[in-house]
Amino acid sequence: MNAPLGVILAGGLATRMGGGDKGLLPLGDSTILGHVIDRLAPQVAGLALNANGDPARFAALGLPVIADSIAGFAGPLSGVLAGLDWAADQGASHIVTAAADTPFLPCDLVPRLQLAGGDQGLALAASPGGRQPTFGLWPVALREDLRAALLGGLRKVVLWTNDHGAGTAEFPDDIAFFNVNTPDDLARAQGML
């Protein structure tokens, strides 16, 4: 399998952080999102950001910004679908998704998801804390099935991936998937750098 395209999911509302784009908050000498990009970009053939609202606020990143096509903040699966539609336009067969608020994501995320994806190329990451549904390998071939599920009201990543026999890429610790949801989490991430 060729290197997939990468899609960073930043379409959430960041309510526990007081709203806004938590990925743009400073972390060390960069931003939360900067750390995510630094870790994911070397593993993929190209990178885009899934975010809603005015894309100009991310202009400094130099990445394509793709919005959800399903209205009303339908959750991470809506971002996955936006990424699959973007990848289809690029002629790609797969995407890998990662959350925009996880600055320590694994540097071997993509190869391990590809190994777990099997013939279909669908897999989610997991750590001792459980499955990590925003970290996955997704085949473009399933995008119309996903669109139909979302339009039918499905919002749970695991329900959809289980129906399609997704593999699981096991990672040994939860630190790699530590996500910054609150000001306390941000302080913790500063200390972890």
Side-chain angles (χ1 to χ4, degrees):
M1 180 186 298
N2 293 333
L5 293 175
V7 178
I8 299 171
L9 302 175
L13 298 172
T15 51
R16 287 177 282 182
M17 193 62 90
D21 296 303
K22 62 182 170 180
L24 296 178
L25 293 172
L27 179 61
D29 60 358
S30 184
T31 61
I32 298 169
L33 197 48
H35 288 280
V36 174
I37 292 167
D38 288 348
R39 284 178 174 253
L40 188 58
Q43 302 183 57
V44 295
L47 198 54
L49 183 66
N50 162 243
N52 299 301
D54 184 2
R57 66 195 195 273
F58 298 109
L61 299 175
L63 297 177
V65 179
I66 50 178
D68 292 350
S69 59
I70 305 290
F73 292 100
L77 279 176
S78 186
V80 171
L81 177 60
L84 291 172
D85 287 341
W86 169 73
D89 290 344
Q90 312 298 311
S93 66
H94 288 77
I95 64 168
V96 165
T97 56
D101 60 359
T102 53
F104 310 113
L105 71 94
C107 293
D108 60 349
L109 177 70
V110 172
R112 294 185 57 180
L113 285 169
Q114 288 176 317
L115 280 173
D119 294 339
Q120 184 155 302
L122 176 65
L124 292 180
S127 66
R131 279 192 275 199
Q132 303 291 334
T134 54
F135 292 85
L137 173 69
W138 312 87
V140 171
L142 288 179
R143 72 188 174 117
E144 294 309 328
D145 185 284
L146 178 56
R147 188 182 327 277
L150 280 163
L151 291 172
L154 182 76
R155 297 295 180 260
K156 296 280 186 195
V157 173
V158 172
L159 290 179
W160 189 79
T161 55
N162 282 351
D163 283 349
H164 293 283
T168 303
E170 300 279 353
F171 291 84
D173 66 69
D174 291 316
I175 296 298
F177 301 104
F178 175 80
N179 61 325
V180 179
N181 284 320
T182 66
D184 285 347
D185 292 341
L186 184 57
R188 218 175 124 204
Q190 293 283 7
M192 291 163 66
L193 272 183

